Amino acid sequence: MTKTARNTAAAAEESFHKHYAAIWGSDRWESSLYPALARNTRYAVVPNRYAPSEEFWKAIDTAQTSREQLERLELPDVFGAIQDAQSGPLCYAYKTNDDCHFPPPKPASSGLLTHWNLDAASALVASLLNAQSGERILDLCAAPGGKSVCISQSLFPTLYADNAIATASGSSLLRSNEAEPRRQKRLMENIHSYVPRAANVQCLRVDGTSSMISGLVVPGGYDKILVDAPCSSERHIIHAHLKAKASGNAAPEMTNWRPGSSKRLAQTQLALLMTALKAVKVGGHVLYATCSLEPTENDGVLEKMLAQVAKDRKKGAVKWDVQLGFADGEKKAQLEEQLGSWAERTKHGWIVLPDHPSGGRWGPLFFAFVTKTANA
């Protein structure tokens, strides 16, 4: 690097650290959160239940991995109960918090791939959508498809490979959408590699921020929608920066970073969330998520959404309202107790961070639950 490039990179890094130290507190940022973000991402594995389970175990049985080294992670759902082992995604991680990776998936005898490697926080969010057989689900920003694969396993349990007789998928519908052409192509390839053709899964390419969203709509609305919105992805910036710095270079992810970038992203995120609220049925749920540390993109978007809904109701543009958070009562308390082992509360939602006292090292991943309600 030239001296000018070095100075630019150093200034960007200093600004980055100052910004997030101001948000999370300098003590936590310097001694805990940033070091945890800088570490290698810890992965979990989700078996593809549309492939025979024994073929999954055989695929990950290497010199570095065996069943005995793994533990099943408990994925809570919105009813406050541990995920039923009979349906829905399963998720495993190494018992030790090391940096071991799982082997890549292999083709099973069914023709589908055996497993998906991901941050367990992604499996948590897919589980919290609590998809049920017979529901209509939209994954609005689905690429590369890991969360859609998890959701599908809740929607189409009759197609599991270990079932004695696999039956048709019934009335369940999953629509996985991605606006960017190359990412949408990858999404389609992944869906076809993991989900049986008998499952009613449709891959769309619609811009969820556009006013022309008729291609997303289903009669009566969706039961649930996941909005895993594009975001700052600070952990990616940190890893790219450290890798480039180690070789004497500067990562464009860091040098191009600006504190104001979150404001522009928040506009896109708000547009996507409003699209989801228009497309979900009254009584349905929207789960908003990002992998950002930035409150502007997390609680800030929820606050802008609340203001926009109030404004639209006052003008008579919408005949519905929204409610933040999970259902009240004992089940809510049970769920929040379980979530406490994964995440910490924010003003309107929760955030999974890799320095969580549990030692899970998952995230970052912010999520908030929104219910579309009838106008009072």
Side-chain angles (χ1 to χ4, degrees), residues 58-125:
K58 188 179 295 184
I60 66 167
D61 187 13
T62 67
Q64 292 77 34
T65 312
S66 68
R67 294 193 193 195
E68 292 71 27
Q69 293 175 286
L70 304 183
E71 61 179 345
R72 183 183 165 199
L73 301 179
E74 296 179 344
L75 300 174
D77 63 40
V78 295
F79 294 118
I82 299 299
Q83 188 81 25
D84 184 0
Q86 301 305 311
S87 64
L90 304 175
C91 188
Y92 296 91
Y94 287 99
K95 294 178 182 177
T96 56
N97 290 340
D98 54 22
D99 296 324
C100 294
H101 282 206
F102 289 95
K106 295 181 179 179
S109 56
S110 63
L112 302 173
L113 294 179
T114 52
H115 60 279
W116 189 294
N117 300 332
L118 79 179
D119 187 311
S122 295
L124 170 70
V125 166

Side-chain angles (χ1 to χ4, degrees), residues 1-12 250 255:
M1 285 192 294
T2 64
K3 183 177 180 180
T4 300
R6 284 196 301 271
N7 291 340
T8 300
T255 55

Side-chain angles (χ1 to χ4, degrees), residues 42-54:
R42 184 187 179 202
Y43 282 90
V45 62
V46 172
N48 186 7
R49 303 188 76 172
Y50 303 124
S53 59
E54 282 306 309

Side-chain angles (χ1 to χ4, degrees), residues 140 177-180 184 204-210 212-216:
L140 185 56
N177 179 68
E178 176 57 48
E180 202 280 319
Q184 199 263 353
L204 309 178
R205 200 182 84 194
V206 179
D207 182 358
T209 66
S210 170
M212 304 297 291
I213 59 168
S214 57
L216 291 174

Side-chain angles (χ1 to χ4, degrees), residues 23-245:
I23 293 172
W24 295 98
S26 57
D27 287 346
R28 181 178 183 183
W29 178 254
E30 294 169 9
S31 64
S32 176
L33 185 51
Y34 176 75
L37 292 164
R39 288 187 65 175
N40 291 336
T41 301
R42 184 187 179 202
Y43 282 90
V45 62
V46 172
N48 186 7
R49 303 188 76 172
Y50 303 124
S53 59
E54 282 306 309
E55 296 188 38
F56 156 70
W57 289 112
K58 188 179 295 184
I60 66 167
D61 187 13
T62 67
Q64 292 77 34
T65 312
S66 68
R67 294 193 193 195
E68 292 71 27
Q69 293 175 286
L70 304 183
E71 61 179 345
R72 183 183 165 199
L73 301 179
E74 296 179 344
L75 300 174
D77 63 40
V78 295
F79 294 118
I82 299 299
Q83 188 81 25
D84 184 0
Q86 301 305 311
S87 64
L90 304 175
C91 188
Y92 296 91
Y94 287 99
K95 294 178 182 177
T96 56
N97 290 340
D98 54 22
D99 296 324
C100 294
H101 282 206
F102 289 95
K106 295 181 179 179
S109 56
S110 63
L112 302 173
L113 294 179
T114 52
H115 60 279
W116 189 294
N117 300 332
L118 79 179
D119 187 311
S122 295
L124 170 70
V125 166
S127 174
L128 287 171
L129 197 64
N130 196 42
Q132 302 289 315
S133 183
E135 290 182 333
R136 296 165 297 182
I137 308 289
L138 171 63
D139 187 353
L140 185 56
C141 311
K147 295 182 183 70
S148 280
V149 168
C150 290
I151 292 167
S152 79
Q153 295 190 31
S154 296
L155 284 178
F156 310 108
T158 59
L159 296 175
Y160 290 169
D162 290 346
N163 286 351
I165 301 176
T167 59
S169 60
S171 58
S172 301
L173 168 66
L174 173 61
R175 285 180 145 191
S176 297
N177 179 68
E178 176 57 48
E180 202 280 319
R182 285 180 294 180
R183 288 172 56 82
Q184 199 263 353
K185 180 181 178 182
R186 184 184 176 196
L187 170 65
M188 289 182 64
E189 292 170 349
N190 284 333
I191 293 296
H192 292 156
S193 297
Y194 282 89
V195 183
R197 297 301 174 100
N200 190 9
V201 179
Q202 303 170 6
C203 291
L204 309 178
R205 200 182 84 194
V206 179
D207 182 358
T209 66
S210 170
S211 59
M212 304 297 291
I213 59 168
S214 57
L216 291 174
V217 177
V218 295
Y222 296 95
D223 295 284
K224 292 159 186 169
I225 298 178
L226 174 62
V227 183
D228 184 15
C231 65
S232 292
S233 190
E234 292 91 349
R235 192 168 198 178
H236 171 72
I237 295 174
I238 291 168
H239 285 193
H241 168 68
L242 292 175
K243 182 178 179 180
K245 191 174 182 180

